[in-house]
Amino acid sequence: MVFAAGLGTRMRPITETTPKPLVSVAGRTLLDRALDDFARAGVETAIVNVHHLADQIESHLQARRAPRIVISDERAKLLDQGGGIRKVLPLLGDDPFYISNTDAFWFDAPQSNLVALARAWDASSMDAALLLAPTQGSVGVDWDGDFDLTPEGRILRRDGPKPYVYSGVGLIKPQLFAQETQDVFKLAPFLFEAAGKGRLFGVVAQGLWLHVGTVAAIEEAERAITAAGG
């Protein structure tokens, strides 16, 4: 499930005419960077939700061959991430599925972080597992981090600066949403509830993580890629 429906308000004025997933960094759109990673990891189908400037995203995706794209149309109402997932639950089946934002990516990872996440998955102990990046050293991180980890890899929420940020990518059980009846709701409370039960885990990603959430972050990301030899 690739989240491409957001308004991209922090990246205005660019996103007044170009949806954030189609913003290019070093010659490739953010959306293509995400989908290319999934294709290389062997993911066969990606559900992409659309709302803001949806026609542009749909047109752009027509040329893709892998993964196979299924559009979830949210033109009539923006459902937030939780609601976007609930809308497509019939398409997802009963197995864990990937979730992915489109405002960040990895560069120069020695192996697939998506495959590493799948290999770490343990359905008996996990309701969700998130890919994390170091707060220090990642590009475009302008906050004090999101999570800490136990030695066993469980995600901890606590006050103050934290060593890891959520990369926007995870694996999650569809059963978490089985009792939800709202159309519009956030994803985060479901993750926090899993954390409270000790069933939210984190996997620290390899490579340089670049968060591109603002106009200034585009140039910062491109400088970092050039400095890294990209």
Side-chain angles (χ1 to χ4, degrees), residues 132-136 138 144-149 156 158 160-165 204:
L132 307 179
T135 304
Q136 302 298 321
S138 295
D144 288 334
D146 298 316
F147 300 121
D148 206 341
L149 288 175
L156 292 177
R158 61 174 178 79
K162 292 164 281 290
Y164 301 108
V165 294
V204 180

Side-chain angles (χ1 to χ4, degrees), residues 4 11 15 21 65 106 113 133 139 165-166 171 186:
M11 206 175 276
T15 49
R65 294 296 175 262
W106 294 278
N113 288 313
V139 175
V165 294
Y166 170 43
L171 269 174
K186 295 184 180 299

